[in-house]
Amino acid sequence: MNTAIIALTFKRVEATQQVWSNNLKPKNLLLSAQHPVYWWDNTPHGPEREALLEIAENYNIKHAFHDGSNYGIAHPINQMAQRIFADGYDGFVTMASDIMEPENWIEHRSNFAAMLPAGIVAIPPGKHHTAVARYPREECNGIGFEHGGDIIGNWYVTKQSYEKIGLFPEHYGIYGPIDLEYCARARKAGVLAVYLSDLEANCISVQDDPEYILAKNKSLAEAWPIYSNVMSNL
């Protein structure tokens, strides 16, 4: 499938450099030609944004948008997804700044989505890999996958599924159960969301970033009542 990448960043310069180097490979012209990068950065003006811009110079970015107001991730994904589909792509894959992916991480997702077919495909990151075992392992052409619950991580989403499910929810603020609500809406719409359970990504620890932890916990506490109300009316 014809796939583009939505790269999302907010500060965390060192982690971004590590993740981009692993997932994109600097100046990988073949990767960039097959999977162009649409980059949304929520970092305010200052040294951290300048450092991220320097990192981006090592990659072939098709479209970049910088907004220091920090909408969180749902708004950027929706904005970039609509641009990507208008540019003629069949799907997009998100790329957070804290998830290290295995080799051929995009092809694993897009090829499997076309084969099953599935509307949302992810590779379980880190500790979440063990949670996948709650559901029966199935196979499609020898590739292991599991479904039945909510998935997180870097998602591959087809254009057809995005149009069927609708926009990612923007009512949670910076952090919230965006993925949980979207998975619930996917199930209601009859869209299959799966983990490729034989593969594993690695999530970079943020325990040494107290500002990030504090902001995330506060936003999540405010988001759960909204989530509960949405789910009760779904």
Side-chain angles (χ1 to χ4, degrees):
M1 287 189 180
N2 196 10
T3 306
I5 301 167
I6 300 178
L8 304 167
T9 56
F10 175 62
K11 300 183 177 181
R12 304 193 64 195
V13 174
E14 185 176 338
T16 298
Q17 185 170 29
Q18 186 178 354
V19 167
W20 282 31
S21 178
N22 177 80
N23 295 354
L24 297 179
K25 314 299 185 197
K27 294 296 184 184
N28 187 329
L29 298 179
L30 180 61
L31 177 65
S32 297
Q34 293 177 332
H35 311 297
V37 177
Y38 290 67
W39 175 33
W40 186 296
D41 175 43
N42 276 333
T43 307
H45 288 286
E48 289 173 307
R49 175 180 286 188
E50 293 303 316
L52 290 171
L53 288 169
E54 288 184 16
I55 292 172
E57 290 177 358
N58 296 307
Y59 303 88
N60 293 292
I61 309 295
K62 180 167 184 177
H63 178 75
F65 187 83
H66 304 280
D67 189 340
S69 59
N70 192 7
Y71 291 105
I73 67 169
H75 180 76
I77 290 174
N78 288 329
Q79 292 296 309
M80 289 302 196
Q82 291 170 60
R83 177 181 287 269
I84 284 168
F85 295 142
D87 287 346
Y89 294 94
D90 302 315
F92 65 84
V93 60
T94 59
M95 187 178 74
S97 61
D98 61 350
I99 299 178
M100 304 274 284
E101 292 284 354
E103 288 291 325
N104 301 316
W105 60 287
I106 300 174
E107 284 72 17
H108 283 306
R109 290 166 166 84
S110 61
N111 291 344
F112 189 82
M115 180 172 55
L116 191 56
I120 303 173
V121 183
I123 294 173
K127 64 181 181 181
H128 301 283
H129 192 275
T130 57
V132 180
R134 294 177 298 175
Y135 304 98
R137 180 184 184 277
E138 301 180 46
E139 283 193 7
C140 181
N141 290 349
I143 299 174
F145 71 96
E146 297 179 22
H147 67 94
D150 300 316
I151 65 173
I152 66 168
N154 289 331
W155 287 14
Y156 173 81
V157 182
T158 66
K159 178 182 179 182
Q160 183 180 15
S161 296
Y162 184 81
E163 291 175 343
K164 194 172 184 180
I165 302 167
L167 301 178
F168 280 75
E170 299 184 15
H171 42 251
Y172 292 117
I174 300 176
Y175 303 103
I178 297 164
D179 43 8
L180 303 185
E181 180 185 320
Y182 208 72
C183 281
R185 287 166 48 203
R187 287 190 290 270
K188 184 175 182 179
V191 174
L192 185 62
V194 305
Y195 268 138
L196 299 183
S197 52
D198 292 348
L199 300 170
E200 183 175 358
N202 293 311
C203 193
I204 297 175
S205 174
V206 296
Q207 297 305 315
D208 57 347
D209 189 343
E211 182 183 355
Y212 169 84
I213 296 295
L214 183 64
K216 183 173 184 178
N217 289 342
K218 181 178 182 295
S219 183
L220 284 173
E222 295 170 349
W224 281 114
I226 301 173
Y227 172 72
S228 298
N229 183 60
V230 170
M231 295 304 293
S232 65
N233 291 289
L234 190 62

